[in-house]
Amino acid sequence: MTTLWDVKTTWLDGTPADLATLRGKVALVVNVASACGFTPQYAGLQRLHDELSARGFTVVGAPSNEFGGQEPGAAEEIRTFCERNFGITFLLLAKGDTRPGPSQSPVYRVLTAGGDVPSWNFCKYVVGKDGSVRAFFPSRTAPDDPALRQAIADALTS
């Protein structure tokens, strides 16, 4: 079985990303966009990252322009937007597609294998230390939602 930690992809800055470097950590992978009604969730995602990173947790943002054309910018525009407006320091992947099909990113091929496919921006996958998907949350689930936080806590303790 392929896990997320088996995937090789690209970071937003164009450098290779071997997700095996995250093995042993818990990640929250989120398909993000700069011009979405859910974009303010970036602030909560950064707070979550800051609060839990010392415990082996990271947020991984996956920019996508699939939903409403809400992430039209190039890599540098996305990075600048995230840093200026939200102080983002968590990992950002290269822009890619989340939905199944020939252009789906390798990250989302693994994440959606269980059937949970993003229907809009800011869907969230909790990925356990072993690289398997532990939970899925839709766009409306805020980063401070108790059920999301519990799923992260459970993944951190198992």
Side-chain angles (χ1 to χ4, degrees):
M1 180 178 124
T2 300
T3 73
L4 192 58
W5 303 157
D6 298 319
V7 173
K8 292 178 183 4
T9 187
T10 308
W11 296 120
L12 185 62
D13 66 5
T15 60
D18 183 352
L19 299 186
T21 61
L22 299 178
R23 193 176 310 279
K25 291 188 177 199
V26 170
L28 182 66
V29 182
V30 185
N31 63 314
V32 295
S34 299
C36 178
F38 295 112
T39 300
Q41 287 189 18
Y42 264 127
L45 293 169
Q46 184 62 46
R47 280 192 301 274
L48 198 57
H49 178 77
D50 291 343
E51 177 187 337
L52 298 174
S53 62
R55 293 182 53 200
F57 172 81
T58 190
V59 172
V60 178
S64 174
N65 195 42
E66 287 177 285
F67 303 106
Q70 296 179 344
E71 188 59 270
E76 189 54 37
E77 293 171 287
I78 295 167
R79 178 167 305 287
T80 299
F81 174 84
C82 289
E83 289 174 355
R84 277 194 189 145
N85 294 293
F86 298 101
I88 298 303
T89 61
F90 56 76
L91 301 168
L92 291 169
L93 295 169
K95 188 161 66 170
D97 291 342
T98 65
R99 292 187 274 192
S103 63
Q104 185 181 38
S105 83
V107 168
Y108 277 86
R109 255 184 241 120
V110 172
L111 294 176
T112 62
D116 289 313
V117 177
S119 57
W120 200 253
N121 302 306
F122 288 87
C123 288
K124 298 154 193 76
Y125 294 85
V126 177
V127 178
K129 295 174 187 178
D130 63 354
S132 65
V133 176
R134 302 282 305 263
F136 172 81
F137 294 89
S139 305
R140 292 192 184 281
T141 304
D144 61 354
D145 181 272
L148 173 62
R149 294 194 52 104
Q150 186 61 56
I152 293 168
D154 291 348
L156 285 168
T157 58
S158 63

